[in-house]
Structure formats: structure tokens, C-alpha cells
Amino acid sequence: MGKTVTFSFSSTKYKGTDATETFTFENLGINEDMDDKALKIEIDRISHAWVWDKLNISYSIVIDEVNSHGSGDIQ
């Protein structure tokens, strides 16, 4: 059996918002011969994607443009 990585997260605010999964390097497409620095970068990248996919986070930002007329102006 090859090397494995276990990803997990939990919320201190929302009960039941947690997950843990273990993957082999092969499952993740990680070369076991990578140097430690490159390995850390790759695992961080995959971990971030895994959490975002699990939480299915989406958001939008709405910016209202301020009307150049005063509040008493009628158009």
C-alpha cells in the first residue's frame, strides 16, 4: 500500500458540518517522489479544493451605485 493523505474539517459553529476522507497518493495523482516543498504545495491545493467541494460554498457581492441625485429630487 502506498502513502495516504487524510483530509478533514469540522465547524465549531454548526453541528454535523464535518467530513473526513483518506486518499492514496495514487488516487490524488500525486507522485510519491516529489520533494517535501512541492508535496506540501500540492496537498494544500488539493485540500482546499476538497473542502470547497464538500461545503459547496457560493456567494455573490452586490454593489449598489449611489444615485447622483439627492433624495428629494424627483425624476
Side-chain angles (χ1 to χ4, degrees), residues 12-72:
T12 57
K13 187 171 183 178
Y14 302 105
K15 291 183 181 183
T17 307
D18 56 14
T20 299
E21 289 184 80
T22 300
F23 303 93
T24 64
F25 276 30
E26 183 179 6
N27 292 141
L28 298 173
I30 297 175
N31 179 347
E32 290 189 26
D33 297 326
M34 293 174 86
D35 65 67
D36 288 345
K37 184 176 181 179
L39 181 60
K40 181 186 179 335
I41 291 169
E42 183 64 8
I43 289 175
D44 284 347
R45 183 190 66 78
I46 293 169
S47 175
H48 183 264
W50 178 82
V51 169
W52 278 79
D53 288 345
K54 290 288 178 194
L55 295 177
N56 194 20
I57 296 170
S58 64
Y59 64 91
S60 63
I61 299 172
V62 177
I63 300 173
D64 288 332
E65 186 174 319
V66 177
N67 190 336
S68 62
H69 300 285
S71 60

Side-chain angles (χ1 to χ4, degrees), residues 6-17:
T6 300
F7 298 129
S8 64
F9 70 85
S10 62
S11 171
T12 57
K13 187 171 183 178
Y14 302 105
K15 291 183 181 183
T17 307

